[in-house]
Amino acid sequence: MLTMIEGSQRGEQWDLRRAETVIGRQQGCDILLDNAAVSRNHARILENHGTYYIEDMRSRNSTYLNEQKLERKTQLQENDRIGICDVIFLFQTASSLSSSTHEKTDPAAFEMGLQVDEGEARIPEIVSVPSHKGMQIPAIVNGEGMIDKSAILSSFSLTTGGYLRLLANPEAKLKALIDLSSNLSQLLTVEKLLPKLLDCLMRAFPLADRAVLLLNDLEKNQLQIRGIRLRDDDSAISPPLSTTIIKYALRHKQIVLSEDVLEDERFSTADSVANLRIRSVMCAPLLSATGQLLGIIQIDTANIEGRFITEDLELLVCLSNQASLAIDNVNLHKQAIAQRDLERDLEFANSVQMGFLPTERPNLPPFQFYDFYEPAQHVGGDFFDYIKLPDGRLGVAVGDVAGKGVPAALLMARLYSMTRYSLLTSPTAASAVTDLNASISSSGLGHRFITFVLAVLDPKTGQVSIVNAGHLPPLLRHADGTTEPIHGADSGLPLGVSGDCVYEQSEIVMRPGDSLFLLTDGLTEAMNPTNEIYSFKRIVEFLKKHGGSVEHLGEALVSDVDKFCEGRAQSDDICLVCFRRTEGNKGKK
């Protein structure tokens, strides 16, 4: 059994009865973790005759066993802890589950809406990055380096008028909140937000000598030092920055106030803290609305006479909430811009895909043609084409790539060229589909397959050669309304299932008034609000009851399917191609 003892699903348990249990953020994993820092397939637990092993699956941020980085497949022992980013699992066997005790929750830690346990949780790596003004912030060595003057984004001078507790009253606190809110509410980029945020913090805390801001990169699981603001622009160097206090706030998931760092037993044993010139410090994590760590703020001062007190911490709590909201808004805006760009790309992809499909219906008396195509998303996996052959015949192809969206559309684009090549270089329809299947099977497309039907029409004789590769059977509607599916005894497997499949063809002769319908399952499986599908049978009954030109029939069928759905969103691509032999060679209806 795995029990999550740290993470968003704290307390949830998973039974390890399978030979393989995969942990990751990809849909289909046995244990799904909703965290961008977790790899799609992050780690797996293997069972072999009652013995369990843990193995990292080449994840981006590694897997940890009892706080040690997992280098190879390792046998699990009773009460082992498995760490994956900010999640910790406890491994237990059935014998110990009844007597196991879960870790405690520290009520004091709920100030930030987070839970903590008695153990030492993993925290993001703390690194530094170039500032938005192009200045490089030096990397922190072993978590305990120094930040010098070159790391400062800019200096900020302000005369405080003595060490007065100006912010110990509600009016001053409200003024600080309004100042922060009004300055940050309209800023939608990190580059503009961070300098304003640091300025507001320095105005809110007149006793502070420095404000430091770190942001969390969820993809890399790193806290990046993104800005420092100093009170005194004449300082020769910036005081050293110890990560000890920051790590303490993150590890214990609390807002930290230390009135005197050098006298604080929580930090006094750290070498870097002992060498600091700062005396009083406040540190507050920044959280999103969903509880994700956005970053952290540290405010400090070197003057022991002006050390911070509880009222300052209360103000920092309020300001950190406003800062979190502003940073969250920036992230959401960035996501919205990315989504807009994606929508534009998909619209362009849609126009490209439509360019692959025929723009005109064939002019081939005595036959008339109709086609309809509508993807469920911006782009789709359904496919149809008209292919003119050198001897005057016409190939009509309809296919349905497994799946929807961009992957299916890319395969559809490839199918377009491969179909034309196979049909133009093969003597018969059956040999063309056989060659097409061999090409698709050997092209490394994974487990995707394509249902496909090809009809080769001879307009002089009305003869149609039909090859079906696992597709819905074509429907032949006679002049009197009788409608029958062309099953054929030789329907083969979908394309891409087996490269050795040899296809055969059926032959029919279309008489004047006959119509042939080729369609995809987007029509037959269209669903209404009560989850009832339109069905192949309903299409047959519709064609029996309705007549007219092939265009009229096609449009009426699509309209009837749409009416049946009663406004329910389309769940699959829809494709319909049909052609009819008219009464004479002059193209009369």
Side-chain angles (χ1 to χ4, degrees):
M1 183 77 72
L2 277 189
T3 303
M4 185 180 291
I5 60 175
E6 180 71 20
S8 60
Q9 298 165 264
R10 183 186 176 99
E12 189 167 342
Q13 295 181 322
W14 290 267
D15 196 350
L16 303 176
R17 294 185 182 272
R18 300 185 179 185
E20 180 186 75
T21 301
V22 178
I23 307 172
R25 65 178 172 86
Q26 179 171 270
Q27 292 294 331
C29 287
D30 303 299
I31 300 178
L32 188 63
L33 301 180
D34 185 15
N35 185 332
V38 177
S39 296
R40 289 179 174 86
N41 293 296
H42 198 106
R44 62 179 179 174
I45 295 176
L46 305 171
E47 186 272 338
N48 184 16
H49 300 291
T51 302
Y52 291 84
Y53 301 85
I54 178 74
E55 182 179 32
D56 185 77
M57 300 176 72
R58 297 183 179 179
S59 64
R60 184 173 64 253
N61 289 314
S62 304
T63 302
Y64 289 79
L65 182 62
N66 299 322
E67 301 181 356
Q68 299 297 317
K69 184 175 179 180
L70 193 63
E71 301 291 353
R72 61 184 63 84
K73 183 169 71 173
T74 304
Q75 182 177 341
L76 285 169
Q77 305 294 335
E78 189 68 38
N79 294 322
D80 274 351
R81 294 180 177 223
I82 300 169
I84 295 179
C85 298
D86 61 349
V87 173
I88 299 178
F89 296 96
L90 180 68
F91 173 78
Q92 293 174 291
T93 59
S95 60
S96 66
L97 286 173
S98 59
S99 60
S100 63
T101 57
H102 298 293
E103 303 201 31
K104 299 177 182 178
T105 298
D106 180 4
F110 279 90
E111 288 183 86
M112 291 298 294
L114 293 172
Q115 290 180 325
V116 299
D117 54 50
E118 294 173 344
E120 184 174 305
R122 290 182 61 238
I123 64 173
E125 178 190 3
I126 302 178
V127 300
S128 55
V129 296
S131 78
H132 71 281
K133 293 187 178 182
M135 291 178 283
Q136 176 70 40
I137 297 178
I140 294 181
V141 181
N142 297 323
E144 303 292 354
M146 296 179 62
I147 300 297
D148 61 21
K149 184 72 173 180
S150 65
I152 304 169
L153 294 181
S154 65
S155 296
F156 180 80
S157 295
L158 180 67
T159 303
T160 62
Y163 294 106
L164 300 176
R165 290 290 164 192
L166 301 178
L167 298 180
N169 60 81
E171 293 80 5
K173 293 179 181 179
L174 180 60
K175 182 178 182 300
L177 285 172
I178 294 174
D179 178 39
L180 186 68
S181 178
S182 61
N183 273 282
L184 304 186
S185 59
Q186 303 299 320
L187 301 177
L188 295 175
T189 65
V190 171
E191 290 75 16
K192 293 182 179 179
L193 175 68
L194 299 190
K196 287 284 187 181
L197 175 55
L198 290 168
D199 286 344
C200 290
L201 290 172
M202 294 300 284
R203 285 197 295 271
F205 297 101
L207 304 180
D209 290 323
R210 179 176 60 172
V212 182
L213 180 63
L214 301 90
L215 294 184
N216 190 19
D217 186 328
L218 295 177
E219 286 290 335
K220 298 179 180 178
N221 195 38
Q222 289 180 340
L223 273 172
Q224 301 175 341
I225 302 173
R226 298 298 298 271
I228 297 177
R229 192 68 96 237
L230 295 183
R231 173 77 58 194
D232 185 2
D233 57 3
D234 295 326
S235 298
I237 61 170
S238 171
L241 176 67
S242 168
T243 61
T244 302
I245 299 171
I246 294 173
K247 286 182 177 180
Y248 181 91
L250 294 176
R251 183 177 298 118
H252 294 272
K253 296 182 178 177
Q254 295 174 329
I255 298 177
V256 174
L257 164 62
S258 180
E259 294 187 23
D260 190 343
V261 176
L262 300 183
E263 299 297 328
D264 195 325
E265 63 181 12
R266 293 174 296 180
F267 315 124
S268 59
T269 58
D271 292 338
S272 63
V273 171
N275 295 324
L276 288 178
R277 287 194 283 123
I278 65 171
R279 297 300 298 270
S280 188
V281 63
M282 295 186 295
C283 196
L286 303 175
L287 300 177
S288 71
T290 59
Q292 282 187 318
L293 178 67
L294 299 175
I296 196 163
I297 293 172
Q298 179 171 306
I299 309 290
D300 56 54
T301 180
N303 194 315
I304 190 60
E305 296 179 1
R307 60 188 178 184
F308 302 119
I309 59 174
T310 304
E311 285 84 352
D312 296 310
L313 182 63
E314 292 173 355
L315 177 59
L316 182 59
V317 171
C318 299
L319 295 180
S320 65
N321 288 335
Q322 289 291 319
S324 297
L325 180 62
I327 295 172
D328 213 6
N329 285 340
V330 168
N331 292 337
L332 291 174
H333 177 71
K334 184 177 179 180
Q335 293 173 16
I337 294 296
Q339 182 64 31
R340 184 194 65 185
D341 293 341
L342 177 61
E343 292 287 333
R344 289 177 177 175
D345 289 344
L346 289 174
E347 289 173 4
F348 177 71
N350 176 264
S351 64
V352 171
Q353 184 181 36
M354 292 300 108
F356 284 112
L357 302 178
T359 56
E360 295 181 354
R361 295 165 187 166
N363 181 17
L364 200 67
F367 288 86
Q368 295 177 332
F369 293 80
Y370 172 80
D371 53 65
F372 177 85
Y373 182 89
E374 186 172 59
Q377 301 175 9
H378 284 84
V379 290
D382 281 7
F383 156 85
F384 80 96
D385 197 12
Y386 303 116
I387 307 164
K388 294 180 180 179
L389 301 179
D391 58 4
R393 293 180 302 156
L394 179 73
V396 182
V398 172
D400 184 357
V401 178
K404 296 182 288 295
V406 174
L410 292 172
L411 184 51
M412 185 280 274
R414 187 167 186 177
L415 179 63
Y416 170 83
S417 59
M418 295 172 74
T419 300
R420 285 179 164 256
Y421 176 81
S422 297
L423 190 54
L424 290 169
T425 57
S426 301
T428 65
S431 61
V433 176
T434 300
D435 292 344
L436 177 61
N437 174 66
S439 298
I440 290 175
S441 299
S442 62
S443 59
L445 299 176
H447 299 292
R448 288 192 177 271
F449 62 87
I450 305 162
T451 65
F452 183 81
V453 62
L454 174 66
V456 179
L457 167 66
D458 187 340
K460 297 177 182 178
T461 64
Q463 180 171 321
V464 183
S465 302
I466 299 174
V467 184
N468 192 331
H471 199 79
L472 291 172
L475 289 171
L476 179 61
R477 182 188 184 279
H478 297 290
D480 62 359
T482 305
T483 303
E484 57 180 323
I486 309 299
H487 287 290
D490 31 355
S491 178
L493 294 171
L495 303 178
V497 174
S498 172
D500 299 329
C501 188
V502 177
Y503 295 87
E504 299 183 15
Q505 61 191 46
S506 301
E507 304 287 347
I508 64 170
V509 177
M510 294 182 64
R511 307 297 179 186
D514 287 353
S515 302
L516 189 66
F517 291 78
L518 312 177
L519 57 143
T520 62
D521 58 10
L523 286 166
T524 60
E525 296 178 3
M527 195 174 293
N528 64 16
T530 62
N531 295 330
E532 180 186 6
I533 64 170
Y534 192 81
S535 78
F536 190 79
K537 180 181 178 181
R538 191 177 263 108
I539 291 178
V540 173
E541 293 300 319
F542 180 89
L543 294 178
K544 287 181 179 179
K545 296 177 181 178
H546 296 78
S549 68
V550 68
E551 183 172 358
H552 172 78
L553 266 175
E555 290 178 347
L557 176 58
V558 171
S559 177
D560 193 63
V561 172
D562 185 61
K563 181 180 178 182
F564 171 84
C565 293
E566 298 181 17
R568 179 167 180 165
Q570 182 180 331
S571 60
D572 200 359
D573 307 324
I574 292 177
C575 182
L576 171 66
V577 179
C578 44
F579 51 93
R580 177 175 181 260
R581 184 173 182 177
T582 59
E583 299 296 335
N585 289 336
K586 295 183 180 180
K588 297 179 181 178
K589 296 181 182 179

